Amino acid sequence: MPEQPDFYTTTGNKSGLWSWIFSTDHKRIGVLYLFSLLVFFSIGAAFGLLMRLELIAPGKTIVEAATYNAFFTLHGVIMIFLFIIPGIPVSLGNFFLPLQIGAGDLAFPRINLLSWWLYMAGGLMALMSLFLGSGPPDTGWTFYAPYSIRTGTNVTMAVSAAFVLGFSSILTGLNFVTTIHRMRAPGMTWFRMPLFVWSLYATAWVQILATPILGITLLLVVTERLFGVGFFDPAKGGDPILYQHLFWIYSHPAVYIMVLPAMGVITEIIPVFSRRTIFGYKAIAFSSMAIASVGYFVWGHHMFTSGMSDTSRAVFSFLTFIVAIPSGVKVFNWVASLYKGSIRVDAPLLFSLSFIFLFSLGGLTGLIMGSLATNVHIHGTHFIVAHFHYVMFGGAGFAFIAGLHYWFPKMTGRMYSERRAKTGWAFLFTGFQLLYFPLFILGWQGMPRRYYDYLPDFHPLNAASTVGSWILAAGLIIIFFNLLRSIRNGGQAGPNPWGGTTLEWRTSSPPPAENFEVAPVVTEGPYAYHHKKDRIL
Amino acid sequence: MSRGQDTAGSRIGMWLFLFTEILLFGGLFMLYSVFRSKYAVEFHRAAEDLSRTAGTINTLVLLTSSLSMALAVAAIRRGKKNGSLIFQGLTILLGCVFLVIKYMEWSAKIGQGIYPDSPALLGLSHGEILFYGLYFVMTGLHGLHVVIGLWALIFMLASTLRGTISGARFVRLENSGLYWHFVDTVWVYLFPLFYLIT
Ligand code: HEM
């Protein structure tokens, strides 16, 4: 193959920073997003660590109650709206969606760039809400009315930030849907698409269909604060419960925006490291779509104690159990794909297996909360905090890290140190369990969330959890240090270090600006490992 | 890196975008239906104070503008640049007329002391407070969309003059037209819900 210059050296007519922040190349935008995400994640993680430090002992340790309130709000807003919702789609998705379907770029490259700019604007607004106005927001990331309308803190800014971020997310979603419909390589039928693409497709639909509801809800919070219209204010005839409905109509589907792409990443990694085709391709593809659609009708399970009729509670609870089925389907498919495979436990698979384990724990505890009686007992406790960290961090977060390792050679052309990656994993996984598992027990015993203080009885487990947060932080540092260092120092990776069969492995690492030297033609499904022996790549 | 334009792709993108817009308004329509079923009588009473004449005229104005928008697209398809320019101009003009009438309606209401959180409004019943809240927020958001639509159309007019929109490449005009029709359609629902429920 005559080597074409890779996309890092093809800067077009711009140079330096400009060749990044004004580039319409999906790969550059993906890398841009990746670093932006890393920055915001670090800020969010710092808030998390500070909160854990405060909770190391009962009473005031390092901050006042009001500061703690600002901490969990900003931690939540950053982690949700700036890290995990955009997360995998905008970084890995942006980079690999066109590659995996054999396209040259996304359908609307300029809109892609616009969504990065909106993302940055939203991110800066969220950070500015910390310093500007009358103090950082203290409502929690859910902005529940009527408190969010009455509090004197800078909620308007934070809410507007989330609105702008939502707009960015919508644009990414419609870009992806259009790309998948229009830009597939010749021969790439729907059922020959890699399952990561399927998961991005389902995610993009959720982004398109759910985010506008968040948009209007947040817009209403702003109008309430500025003009006092009264939709959510009982004194004027409004109803705060309506706010909760509107909020969760978006924010529940949003958890599928977080987790579907994560599942897609895992589905890519498992066949490669067990040298087997994926078990139940169609079941996985359809379960993504099933999760995306049933996921719309379960928002009420966040509001079991807010005031709803018994009938609607029963219905929401039932649907919550239903939505667990497609997730279960996936877990069984992954495990079945590993069965009798020739497994190599490299870092990407290690993180993927941890994903399956942690996500299952998070998912199963979700069922505990989904049943009405137990929900009343654990509502608003640290049980919830443990649950959503298990699904969002143990799930989506671990999958993100798995994907980063898996595709790192393709993105940079280099290999990271496998030994360091595994050390980092060991710290991360141990720290994670020590940090979050005690919170299940504490929550079950009745420790509420969103307080900077607790009863002395809860001290030992809280101290353990805080120690866990340090181990976890060490793990994160090792992992990111390893990756960042290897961008320069890693050994050459070659086009296909893992022996993957999807299209991105057929081009050089890093890919040329045009992605493929010869436009690929697809003749078979994505995970054709069964007749791998008699094929030359 | 332009690789020819994919007209069908652009259309899909636009329709998806319009869909998100429908959902954006959908949240407000949901609030409307909840409050209307809770305060049916008060809604009824409050609606009597809106000017049905102004509403009707505005409906006619917008519907006509949709017609001229469609004609502008039809003209460019057949390569008739001047015809298209005239109809685009007419659409913009009608859009402005709509905004002027809307402005007069709003200022009349505000002149009477009826606006969100005003002392006069807070003196009324809960249902009426919410009715006017919805009225201002929904027509306000709609008005904002009219303004955005007008800017888009002005931009299209300029592109048509410069020739970047022509009989061979008109998908952008078509998409702006779709947006404009969408804005009109929203009004077609707002009109009966606020003016005709008496
Ligand atoms: C660096 C690791 C992390 C630590 C130490 C950490 C710690 C915490 C703590 C102590 C709380 C507050 C509990 C309370 O008092 O209610 C919290 C809340 C939260 N965390 Fe994390 N977290 C971490 C990572 C993450 C990640 C990766 C995500 C999402 C992907 C996340 C999402 C959230 C959310 C949404 C809340 C709720 C905020 C609210 O109550 O409004 N966290 N976290």
Side-chain angles (χ1 to χ4, degrees), chain A residues 148-206:
Chain A
S148 62
I149 291 159
R150 296 203 185 133
T151 171
T153 55
N154 201 358
V155 169
T156 309
M157 180 72 108
V159 164
S160 316
F163 179 83
V164 174
L165 291 168
F167 196 43
S168 158
S169 177
I170 289 178
L171 291 181
T172 307
L174 67 85
N175 213 342
F176 281 12
V177 169
T178 315
T179 307
I180 294 171
H181 274 275
R182 301 291 306 167
M183 317 262 295
R184 281 170 288 131
M188 172 77 71
T189 57
W190 282 89
F191 291 112
R192 283 183 190 159
M193 292 196 312
L195 285 158
F196 181 53
V197 177
W198 266 105
S199 74
L200 288 175
Y201 184 69
T203 311
W205 272 111
V206 184

Side-chain angles (χ1 to χ4, degrees), chain A residues 201-216:
Chain A
Y201 184 69
T203 311
W205 272 111
V206 184
Q207 285 176 301
I208 294 173
L209 296 181
T211 320
I213 313 281
L214 177 77
I216 192 66

Side-chain angles (χ1 to χ4, degrees), chain A residues 263-280:
Chain A
M263 293 169 155
V265 170
I266 302 303
T267 316
E268 288 305 303
I269 292 175
I270 284 184
V272 177
F273 290 89
S274 55
R275 315 310 300 164
R276 282 196 66 204
T277 184
I278 194 83
F279 180 83

Side-chain angles (χ1 to χ4, degrees), chain A residues 220-234:
Chain A
L220 287 176
V221 171
V222 174
T223 46
E224 290 290 319
R225 284 181 70 86
L226 297 182
F227 306 111
V229 183
F231 295 149
F232 306 132
D233 185 354

Side-chain angles (χ1 to χ4, degrees), chain A residues 405-474:
Chain A
H405 285 85
Y406 175 55
W407 278 311
F408 183 85
K410 181 52 64 183
M411 290 194 279
T412 61
R414 306 281 180 153
M415 209 56 188
Y416 51 82
S417 147
E418 178 70 25
R419 195 176 47 82
R420 276 208 202 94
K422 282 191 173 137
T423 321
W425 169 85
F427 275 92
L428 189 70
F429 189 77
T430 323
F432 186 92
Q433 297 286 19
L434 189 59
L435 167 56
Y436 294 116
F437 200 81
L439 302 188
F440 278 128
I441 304 169
L442 287 169
W444 194 261
Q445 292 172 347
M447 177 173 158
R449 65 189 276 207
R450 293 180 173 169
Y451 283 91
Y452 84 132
D453 192 8
Y454 49 82
L455 297 176
D457 318 38
F458 297 141
H459 189 195
L461 285 177
N462 266 300
S465 170
T466 303
V467 172
S469 75
W470 299 333
I471 303 178
L472 175 131

Side-chain angles (χ1 to χ4, degrees), chain A residues 25 104-106 108 163 167 170 174 177-178 181-182 205 208-210 212-213 215-216 219-220 223 227-232 234-239 242 245-246 249 513-514, chain B residues 1 3 6-14 16-17 19-21 23-28 30-31 34-35 38-39 116-117 122 125-127 129-130 132-135 137 141:
Chain A
D25 181 343
D105 206 320
L106 290 176
F108 309 115
F163 179 83
F167 196 43
I170 289 178
L174 67 85
V177 169
T178 315
H181 274 275
R182 301 291 306 167
W205 272 111
I208 294 173
L209 296 181
I213 313 281
I216 192 66
L219 218 53
L220 287 176
T223 46
F227 306 111
V229 183
F231 295 149
F232 306 132
K236 296 176 187 165
D239 187 352
L242 274 177
H245 278 293
L246 283 171
I249 287 176
E514 305 287 336
Chain B
M1 259 217 312
R3 57 177 75 70
D6 175 11
T7 316
S10 306
R11 279 196 203 119
I12 294 180
M14 192 63 200
L16 289 174
F17 179 69
F19 208 72
T20 67
E21 288 272 24
L23 288 165
L24 188 80
F25 278 96
L28 286 171
M30 194 192 93
L31 283 184
V34 170
F35 290 139
K38 206 164 155 192
Y39 302 105
D117 225 14
L122 291 184
S125 68
H126 280 170
I129 299 179
L130 290 172
Y132 279 108
L134 285 166
Y135 169 74
V137 172
L141 189 65

